[in-house]
Amino acid sequence: MRSDPRDYEFSSPGTLAGALSLLNREPGQWLPVAGGTEVMVQYSSGRLDARRMLNLWDIQELKQITEGADSLRIGGGCTFAQIREHSAVQKYFPLLAKAAAWTGSIANQNRATIAGNIVNASPAADSPPALLVHEAELELVSTAGTRRISYGDFHLSYKKTALKPNELLLAIHLPKRFVKWFSYCQKTGARNAQAISKVCIAGIGKLSGGRVETVHLALGAVAPIPLRLRKTEKVLLDAELTKHTVAEAQRALAGEISPIEDIRSSAEYRRQVAANLLEDLLESFAASECGQ
Amino acid sequence: MSLGSFSLRINGENRVVEAYPMERLLDILREHLGLIGTKEGCGEGECGACSVLINGELVNSCLIPVAQADGAEITTIEGVANGEDLHPAQKAFLACGGAQCGMCTPGMIVATVNLLNKHPHPTAEQIREGLNGNLCRCTGYMRIFQAVEEAARTGSEK
C-alpha cells in the first residue's frame, strides 16, 4: 500500500540554521530528507514510519566540496554525481570516486547524497569501505556547534549510529596523506550497474622492502556495520605477501566477519567471496610498486 | 497535512499545482497535469520508466516529492521533440527498433537525451552507463544501444 501524502508534514527551512533549530526544538520528530533515494522508496511502498519530513535538499551550506592543504572537505549534501566528477576526489581518493560511480544509476547518483548514504547506515553501502580505509572524520552539527568524530567510531551496531537526534552530518573530512599509497576496491553484485553489493572491499597500503609497512582494509555487507578489518591488518603487518601470508590473512578475515543470509546472498557465499576479494587485493598489492 | 502551491516550469511552460508536498512528481505529472508519457514501473527508483530531467539533470520522478521540485525546470518526454519535429533520439529509436512494448521507452529516450547533452559522442561504455538505470524487459538492449549510437550520429550532423 502506498503512503497517503495527506498524512505527511514537510518543512523546508532552506538554511542550515533553520534546519538545526527545528531539530533542536523537536528532536527525533523530524526525518531529514535530501535526495530521497532512500526515504522516498520507503514512502512509495508504505513503509515510512516518520510523518514529518525535514527538507535538506535546497540547503546550500551542505553542498560544497572544498580542498584544503592536507584534507578534502565534502559537504554532507553533496551528491554522488558531484563527488565522482570532482577533480580532487579523483586525484586523491580514487576509491571514493569509484564507489560513487557504483552507487545506483546516474539518476540516483544525481540525487543520493553522501551524508544520506552514511546516516542511513546500511552495512552494504558502497562508500563506507573507502571512507573507513582513508580514516575519514565526520563533522556533526547541532545548534550547540560542531563536533568531529572518527568515521570508524560512527557506526555502533546495525543501523545505529553516533548521530544524536538534534544533529546533522555536516561534512566528511578526508586526509590526503595516503595519496601515493597502493589502493584497491572491488564490488560483487548481481549485475554491474545499480545493484546493492553482496560484498564490497576497499584497501590501501604501503610496501617497504617487499614487506607490508602499513595496510588499511574494510569490507561492506559482511557484518552489522561497515567493517574495518583491524585483526586482518595486524596479521599482514611486516609480512611478505606470500601464499602463506594470504592464507593467514584469510583466516583472520573469517574470524572478523559475520555475514548473514538475505535476499541478495547466502552467508556462505559472502564468506567465500570476501576471502577471494581479499586474495585478489593482496595479489595486486604484492604486484604494486608503491612504497618500493 | 495541508495543500501547498508549487510552481513548475514544465517543457517551457509555467504551471502551478495545488498539491500535498509529499506527492510524487510522477503523480503530479501524470494525474494533475495529464502528462502520461512518463511511466511508472517499479516506483522505487530502480527501473527508470519515470525518468525526467530536473534543471537538466536526469532523475527518477517517483522519488521526488513535489515540494523539492518547486521552482524547477522540468523536461518530460512530451518536451523532448521540437513541435512535430522529433528529437534525434526519438527518430533513432523508431529507425532502429529500439522500442517493443514501449513501457520503458519514454524513460530510455529521456536518459538518452541526457546522455547526449553530456556526451554528444558517447563511447559504448558511456552509453551503457548512461542508460544503466533504465530497465527493458523486451529488447535485450542491443537495439537500444544501436539507437543511441544512431542518435549521436544524426544529432551531431545538424
Side-chain angles (χ1 to χ4, degrees):
Chain A
M1 257 292 275
R2 182 170 302 158
S3 307
D4 185 337
R6 288 174 298 189
D7 295 340
Y8 293 82
E9 256 181 274
F10 194 94
S11 174
S12 278
T15 63
L16 182 60
L20 292 174
S21 113
L22 187 57
L23 287 178
N24 194 57
R25 214 162 45 238
E26 297 170 313
Q29 296 293 303
W30 295 87
L31 181 67
V33 53
T37 53
E38 180 69 31
V39 169
M40 291 303 288
V41 173
Q42 294 174 18
Y43 170 80
S44 278
S45 61
R47 286 183 285 116
L48 187 60
D49 293 331
R51 287 290 183 271
R52 305 173 93 187
M53 305 293 127
L54 169 57
N55 182 25
L56 303 182
W57 181 249
D58 58 354
I59 296 182
Q60 294 309 316
E61 292 113 301
L62 297 172
K63 294 193 167 207
Q64 314 298 324
I65 301 180
T66 40
E67 190 179 351
D70 304 321
S71 66
L72 193 68
R73 180 186 188 278
I74 300 178
C78 290
T79 63
F80 285 110
Q82 216 181 330
I83 289 167
R84 65 179 286 195
E85 284 159 17
H86 196 275
S87 59
V89 175
Q90 291 170 356
K91 180 173 174 193
Y92 295 104
F93 306 100
L95 299 186
L96 183 60
K98 225 186 249 185
W102 284 340
T103 304
S105 61
I106 299 288
N108 287 330
Q109 289 165 20
N110 281 335
R111 298 286 300 186
T113 64
I114 189 159
N117 202 222
I118 291 172
V119 169
N120 183 51
S122 163
D126 288 315
S127 65
L131 298 175
L132 283 172
V133 298
H134 283 111
E135 304 198 316
E137 275 195 354
L138 304 186
E139 188 178 355
L140 310 176
V141 64
S142 69
T143 49
T146 63
R147 65 179 176 119
R148 281 169 73 145
I149 72 165
S150 160
Y151 178 51
D153 296 330
F154 183 71
H155 296 289
L156 306 175
S157 60
Y158 180 69
K159 292 262 182 182
K160 292 267 181 300
T161 73
L163 189 76
K164 294 182 186 149
N166 66 341
E167 285 180 324
L168 291 173
L169 174 42
L170 180 62
I172 297 95
H173 294 263
L174 289 161
K176 287 174 171 175
R177 62 179 179 271
F178 310 111
V179 65
K180 296 227 167 89
W181 292 29
F182 161 79
S183 71
Y184 175 102
C185 64
Q186 193 52 269
K187 148 175 188 164
T188 303
R191 67 197 282 267
N192 253 345
Q194 160 113 327
I196 294 171
S197 289
K198 295 171 192 282
V199 181
C200 55
I201 191 169
I204 60 175
K206 271 200 306 194
L207 296 175
S208 168
R211 288 174 181 275
V212 176
E213 185 183 317
T214 174
V215 64
H216 300 171
L217 301 169
L219 277 177
V222 296
I225 60 171
L227 195 66
R228 175 90 184 259
L229 299 171
R230 300 273 185 191
K231 289 176 187 153
T232 310
E233 291 173 11
K234 217 171 255 174
V235 166
L236 289 164
L237 222 52
D238 259 345
E240 267 182 77
L241 289 171
T242 60
K243 280 205 158 47
H244 175 74
T245 309
V246 172
E248 289 279 295
Q250 286 176 316
R251 253 193 299 282
L253 172 127
E256 283 197 270
I257 65 176
S258 49
I260 57 162
E261 170 147 359
D262 66 7
I263 187 170
R264 283 184 284 279
S265 193
S266 69
E268 193 43 42
Y269 181 85
R270 286 194 164 105
R271 285 193 168 278
Q272 185 63 55
V273 169
N276 295 352
L277 288 174
L278 179 65
E279 181 179 10
D280 192 52
L281 182 154
L282 293 175
E283 280 175 5
S284 315
F285 192 18
S288 72
E289 297 295 311
C290 297
Q292 300 273 13
Chain B
M1 298 259 167
S2 57
L3 281 166
S5 172
F6 303 100
S7 308
L8 311 172
R9 189 167 171 82
I10 300 181
N11 302 326
E13 242 180 83
N14 292 322
R15 309 290 294 259
V16 176
V17 293
E18 301 290 316
Y20 294 97
M22 279 292 278
E23 285 190 67
R24 306 178 308 171
L25 178 59
L26 170 65
D27 299 325
I28 300 293
L29 294 172
R30 288 182 57 85
E31 288 163 25
H32 289 239
L33 301 171
L35 295 169
I36 57 172
T38 304
K39 305 301 181 198
E40 175 161 16
C42 66
E44 51 183 47
E46 292 277 349
C47 78
C50 67
S51 300
V52 301
L53 305 182
I54 294 190
N55 299 327
E57 299 290 348
L58 184 69
V59 301
N60 292 312
S61 62
C62 73
L63 298 186
I64 315 274
V66 64
Q68 287 188 336
D70 193 24
E73 181 106 23
I74 294 158
T75 305
T76 69
I77 186 65
E78 289 88 351
V80 163
N82 183 9
E84 291 296 301
D85 186 19
L86 295 181
H87 186 281
Q90 292 172 305
K91 288 182 190 162
F93 269 70
L94 282 171
C96 299
Q100 285 187 27
C101 87
M103 185 71 183
C104 74
T105 312
M108 283 287 178
I109 289 177
V110 169
T112 302
V113 169
N114 176 67
L115 172 71
L116 296 176
N117 286 345
K118 307 246 143 91
H119 306 285
H121 304 284
T123 62
E125 200 184 326
Q126 284 169 334
I127 293 174
R128 282 165 187 265
E129 186 176 28
L131 300 187
N132 73 10
N134 296 77
L135 302 183
C136 172
R137 300 292 83 174
C138 303
T139 63
Y141 298 104
M142 296 320 294
R143 291 182 176 203
I144 289 174
F145 295 151
Q146 285 160 12
V148 179
E149 286 168 11
E150 171 74 6
R153 247 193 323 273
T154 52
S156 61
E157 279 166 13
K158 284 192 173 174

